[in-house]
Amino acid sequence: MKQNMHILVTGGAGYIGSHTVVELINSGKIPVIVDDFRNSDPRIIKGVEEIVQQKVIFKKVDVCDLNAMRKVFEEYSFDGIIHFAAYKAVGESVQEPLMYYNNNLNSLLVCLMLAKEFEVKNFLFSSSCTVYGEPESSPVVTEESPVLEANSPYGATKQMCERILADTTKSGTNIKVLNLRYFNPIGAHHSGFIGELPIGRPNNLLPYLTQTGAGILEELTVFGSDYNTDDGTCVRDYIHVSDLADAHVKGVDWLMKQEGVFNEVVNIGTGHGASVLEIIHTFEKVANLKLNWKFGERRAGDVEKIYADASKAKSLLNWTANRTMEDAIRDAWNWEQKWRNETTDNH
Ligand code: UDP
């Protein structure tokens, strides 16, 4: 395989993006990060540089800005694109649908138009298991499970982006597409230099939980106690973000080796489900503290139980998750404490 491959990573300062940049560098590739920090923090770039002990290439550009992005494509000859840059909060997308459709669709369109213009043949798209909605018969979803009507504008943007990519591959371009449908990424880099950095009050379980453990938030509410699951709380497939990052490296390597034009879809999860209470109990064990939590009402739009059939990721990309849920929670907790200490030190 070609040495010194340049990979455009849009949203590379974000949570999954930054962990992927680390693993791309570890595998000998040269990521070029494009991010405008609207939902991320420049200190994450510093954290990446600490981990890899080198400078990373970084452009502060809005991915929706076609002309600014064209300049980036003119400067580097990309071998592949990983497109992360998008809004991702389900609740906010219900409040601000136009903002979500505008940003998530336009950023993809800009990347794709430039991929076509500059003949970049390998395109990896950051998709989500949200496209499956509430699974009808079994909680285990394969890539063949039906894509159901999205229950939020956020989910709809992921479906629409997948459709745009599929149509593009059918139109006679030379672009090979891999859609990775992620389950629930959690955790942080083992070093504690990078991790999830929600702006404002977190929506997702893990940052809410670690911030409660750290005393920043008062109490975690478990949304619903009467679901049809073993302990009454919802079940998800929680995957360590560094395993997810590895999946992107494997995905890029796989794309590079393929001939022809296609639009592939692969689930990226552990294949195991865990309930909200299991997460809380694991956290209490790992952090050796009692978490302040209570049961509350169900959250609108929550799926009861879903986890991945991850066998295609293994057979096609030779990828499986290596880290445990406990590893992920320990790393998330380590990150939470390290980040708080450093931000307090800095002020
Ligand atoms: N959850 C919870 N309290 C919170 C945040 C999340 O009980 O403060 C639950 C939520 O109902 C779901 C699970 O944690 O069952 C994962 O939610 P998250 O928002 O992290 O991811 P989602 O699966 O919704 O994308």
Side-chain angles (χ1 to χ4, degrees):
M1 205 173 287
K2 185 181 155 189
Q3 293 297 302
N4 300 331
M5 276 190 294
H6 283 81
I7 310 292
L8 171 65
V9 185
T10 73
Y15 176 42
I16 306 171
S18 58
H19 289 81
T20 299
V21 165
V22 168
E23 301 311 331
L24 286 169
I25 294 172
N26 286 341
S27 75
K29 298 173 182 63
I30 305 174
V32 175
I33 300 173
V34 171
D35 202 301
D36 64 1
F37 297 126
R38 74 179 66 182
N39 224 348
S40 55
D41 191 303
R43 286 172 289 180
I44 292 291
I45 303 280
K46 290 264 167 289
V48 170
E49 291 179 338
E50 283 287 346
I51 295 168
V52 298
Q53 286 295 303
Q54 57 179 269
K55 285 269 163 217
V56 298
I57 307 172
F58 164 73
K59 303 279 167 190
K60 187 168 187 289
V61 166
D62 174 358
V63 183
C64 293
D65 183 340
L66 180 64
N67 291 329
M69 285 295 285
R70 183 175 283 113
K71 291 206 179 76
V72 180
F73 277 73
E74 280 163 358
E75 188 174 347
Y76 298 95
S77 170
F78 291 122
D79 299 284
I81 298 172
I82 305 181
H83 178 50
F84 291 108
Y87 292 141
K88 60 171 186 177
V90 174
E92 184 185 51
S93 79
V94 177
Q95 304 299 321
E96 299 285 352
L98 299 183
M99 186 174 109
Y100 270 68
Y101 288 117
N102 185 25
N103 186 51
N104 292 9
L105 299 183
N106 277 317
S107 59
L108 174 74
L109 292 171
V110 164
C111 289
L112 262 184
M113 287 189 289
L114 292 171
K116 190 173 171 192
E117 189 179 323
F118 288 82
E119 296 182 359
V120 185
K121 297 201 183 79
N122 302 292
F123 199 103
L124 195 155
F125 178 62
S126 164
S127 192
S128 165
C129 70
T130 190
V131 301
Y132 298 117
E134 175 87 55
E136 273 162 352
S137 43
S138 156
V140 193
V141 288
T142 73
E143 292 78 0
E144 274 68 52
S145 298
V147 167
L148 303 176
E149 182 157 354
N151 57 9
S152 75
Y154 161 74
T157 67
K158 290 296 172 194
Q159 294 182 346
M160 288 175 187
C161 285
E162 285 199 5
R163 172 68 197 259
I164 291 168
L165 286 159
D167 287 344
T168 306
T169 58
K170 286 184 208 143
S171 68
T173 57
N174 281 325
I175 305 173
K176 297 174 272 177
V177 173
L178 175 61
N179 300 276
L180 296 186
R181 290 180 180 161
Y182 322 144
F183 283 69
N184 287 55
I186 60 167
H189 192 266
H190 188 61
S191 66
F193 282 117
I194 58 172
E196 189 167 10
L197 205 58
I199 292 175
R201 192 178 265 272
N203 294 302
N204 295 111
L205 178 61
L206 249 290
Y208 209 105
L209 186 153
T210 55
Q211 289 192 19
T212 307
I216 295 148
L217 298 171
E218 210 168 293
E219 188 175 44
L220 172 78
T221 303
V222 174
F223 298 138
S225 57
D226 58 352
Y227 283 101
N228 186 23
T229 59
D230 288 347
D231 63 21
T233 65
C234 291
V235 168
R236 296 283 180 281
D237 186 333
Y238 294 96
I239 171 175
H240 195 298
V241 66
S242 291
D243 277 335
L244 180 54
D246 288 338
H248 290 77
V249 176
K250 289 266 168 81
V252 167
D253 287 344
W254 177 81
L255 272 172
M256 300 282 173
K257 283 193 230 137
Q258 306 309 306
E259 304 283 338
V261 175
F262 52 82
N263 179 65
E264 259 310 341
V265 176
V266 178
N267 285 342
I268 304 293
T270 65
H272 304 288
S275 73
V276 179
L277 288 186
E278 280 176 75
I279 294 277
I280 292 176
H281 294 145
T282 308
F283 173 76
E284 288 183 326
K285 185 175 125 200
V286 161
N288 195 23
L289 55 76
K290 202 95 206 84
L291 189 79
N292 205 13
W293 68 272
K294 64 161 194 249
F295 280 122
E297 293 297 303
R298 289 183 174 199
R299 180 171 71 176
D302 262 344
V303 167
E304 182 166 272
K305 189 174 185 183
I306 184 168
Y307 51 97
D309 178 325
S311 52
K312 188 171 173 186
K314 170 87 178 119
S315 59
L316 199 72
L317 308 180
N318 193 27
W319 174 89
T320 41
N322 288 318
R323 296 161 180 90
T324 64
M325 185 177 89
E326 201 170 309
D327 294 335
I329 294 175
R330 189 178 300 109
D331 289 339
W333 181 230
N334 178 37
W335 154 250
E336 178 70 52
Q337 291 171 299
K338 196 166 187 289
W339 179 259
R340 295 297 155 202
N341 286 340
E342 275 166 24
T343 37
T344 326
D345 291 348
N346 291 340
H347 290 101

